[in-house]
Amino acid sequence: MGWFSRRARGTEATPTKLDREATRDDLAALEAFVATRRGVEFYLEPETTATDTTVVAIAHDGEWIRRRTGTPRAAGAIARKHAVPLYEAARTGYPERMRVWNRAHPERHAR
């Protein structure tokens, strides 16, 4: 009877379908944000079935960007290169200054 063995073989060949992979432009955008803002912190967001691993970079005033990094290791490498703290968003949450900035800049989210 190989009910479970048949199911296992089929799931191994099914890759996760992401909307797109991280690109050099994503990594360059994070580096440019760090270079042009003060007090930047990175918040790592795990990969989901729809999106690759992402980092939210938040400046001292709450301004932020979200970009794909591909892997947590790539995010860590950028953080170390620029001496930026890296937190797991699922554990720490996002800082209040990000919410304050969002309320002060509603045009940014009017898509």
Side-chain angles (χ1 to χ4, degrees):
M1 295 233 201
W3 288 98
F4 295 108
S5 61
R6 271 188 278 187
R7 187 182 307 158
R9 267 184 268 141
T11 58
E12 290 175 20
T14 307
T16 302
K17 177 65 177 150
L18 302 174
D19 60 346
R20 73 172 177 82
E21 298 289 323
T23 65
R24 287 188 195 140
D25 291 340
D26 291 322
L27 302 178
L30 286 171
E31 290 189 348
F33 190 84
V34 169
T36 58
R37 294 349 182 255
R38 290 186 302 118
V40 176
E41 298 174 330
F42 282 176
Y43 289 81
L44 182 68
E45 300 174 322
E47 177 180 320
T48 67
T49 56
T51 305
D52 208 354
T53 301
T54 55
V55 164
V56 177
I58 305 173
H60 78 285
D61 61 354
E63 182 183 3
W64 61 275
I65 63 167
R66 176 181 285 118
R67 295 293 183 270
R68 291 165 181 82
T69 60
T71 65
R73 184 172 290 177
I78 294 173
R80 279 188 303 281
K81 177 180 175 182
H82 295 283
V84 172
L86 176 65
Y87 304 104
E88 289 183 48
R91 286 188 177 188
T92 64
Y94 300 100
E96 179 62 26
R97 69 181 184 272
M98 180 182 174
R99 289 183 277 283
V100 170
W101 193 88
N102 284 340
R103 286 191 295 272
H105 299 86
E107 73 281 356
R108 171 114 183 254
H109 298 285
R111 295 180 204 182

